[in-house]
Amino acid sequence: NAGVTQTPKFRVLKTGQSMTLLCAQDMNHEYMYWYRQDPGMGLRLIHYSVGEGTTAKGEVPDGYNVSRLKKQNFLLGLESAAPSQTSVYFCASSLWSGEQYFGPGTRLTVT
Amino acid sequence: GENVEQHPSTLSVQEGDSAVIKCTYSDSASNYFPWYKQELGKRPQLIIDIRSNVGEKKDQRIAVTLNKTAKHFSLHITETQPEDSAVYFCAASLNDYKLSFGAGTTVTVRA
């Protein structure tokens, strides 16, 4: 099993551009999450999903949108990127509660 | 929402000594407290977790203690080894899946 994978691994955007980050898991997990990691701030939850077709806001949802059309995929969209969105983005999944399995991360730079 | 504070932000220990990281949380209803370890350039991975109906849990050289009255929990690593060098994150949750993370502790084990 590949576990949790993320695409792309690195990306550089100009301010105002849009992009979509793809997260895929092959563990048949119900719950999926998107976090951002910034120095000195730990991991902050952006959006999460408790099942196919559901999404909910986390701690820092502004400027991001998500979709979970298929159980195994969770997409994170930036409609108009800003320098403040420069960060490392991690996707994670869990069966229901308990241990979250993280992807390898996407390093995004917005200039 | 839940607020988790983590101390210290950096910790340097001699190989073989013990390391202790402390976290406090704000919401007395939180009932799930995991600890994640993130090695340099890698994804976070769960190392141990505890639920509010348990005061202490051990797994080989790692232990976690929980004081619900004081709303704090701690990670204890005994007989530290070079491979224990990493960033450690505590987290708290009201519902087992929506995690609020601390800012992280960078642990360096000196040979």
Side-chain angles (χ1 to χ4, degrees):
Chain A
N1 289 349
V4 181
T5 58
Q6 293 182 229
T7 309
K9 289 184 170 54
F10 303 93
R11 186 71 187 268
V12 178
L13 288 178
K14 294 186 186 303
T15 298
Q17 289 184 321
S18 63
M19 78 163 292
T20 300
L21 281 67
L22 170 64
C23 177
Q25 53 94 4
D26 61 1
M27 297 176 284
N28 201 32
H29 284 173
E30 289 294 330
Y31 291 11
M32 296 187 74
Y33 316 82
W34 276 107
Y35 293 92
R36 59 177 291 172
Q37 183 175 34
D38 303 291
M41 301 188 75
L43 293 148
R44 292 182 292 168
L45 183 64
I46 304 171
H47 286 281
Y48 64 99
S49 168
V50 298
E52 182 179 310
T54 76
T55 63
K57 294 180 180 179
E59 182 185 353
V60 289
D62 293 343
Y64 305 95
N65 57 76
V66 288
S67 64
R68 182 111 181 260
L69 299 179
K70 293 183 178 181
K71 185 177 182 178
Q72 64 267 34
N73 296 336
F74 195 29
L75 278 64
L76 178 71
L78 286 72
E79 292 183 347
S80 180
S84 61
Q85 294 178 304
T86 293
S87 187
V88 179
Y89 292 85
F90 284 99
C91 174
S93 71
S94 63
L95 192 56
W96 290 285
S97 58
E99 181 172 4
Q100 294 187 13
Y101 294 82
F102 284 80
T106 295
R107 185 172 296 275
L108 175 66
T109 302
V110 183
T111 61
Chain B
E2 175 66 275
N3 182 45
V4 178
E5 294 190 354
Q6 183 171 347
H7 299 280
S9 58
T10 61
L11 181 60
S12 179
V13 297
Q14 191 71 34
E15 183 176 355
D17 288 349
S18 296
V20 180
I21 304 169
K22 298 180 179 179
C23 291
T24 60
Y25 59 99
S26 60
D27 195 327
S28 57
S30 288
N31 58 13
Y32 177 62
F33 307 92
W35 286 87
Y36 283 80
K37 175 184 179 182
Q38 185 178 28
E39 296 177 358
L40 189 62
K42 301 290 182 63
R43 68 192 78 188
Q45 291 187 297
L46 180 74
I47 55 172
I48 195 167
D49 57 8
I50 193 169
R51 297 186 184 278
S52 59
N53 58 345
V54 176
E56 183 176 2
K57 184 176 180 180
K58 289 183 180 179
D59 184 2
Q60 298 182 337
R61 296 186 296 108
I62 292 173
V64 57
T65 58
L66 172 64
N67 184 327
K68 289 191 294 183
T69 303
K71 292 189 288 185
H72 68 70
F73 57 111
S74 300
L75 178 72
H76 303 254
I77 307 173
T78 59
E79 301 174 12
T80 53
Q81 300 171 5
E83 54 264 37
D84 295 328
S85 294
V87 180
Y88 292 81
F89 294 97
C90 63
S93 176
L94 293 165
N95 51 25
D96 282 12
Y97 60 90
K98 193 175 173 185
L99 301 179
S100 295
F101 282 88
T105 297
T106 300
V107 173
T108 303
V109 179
R110 307 187 309 272

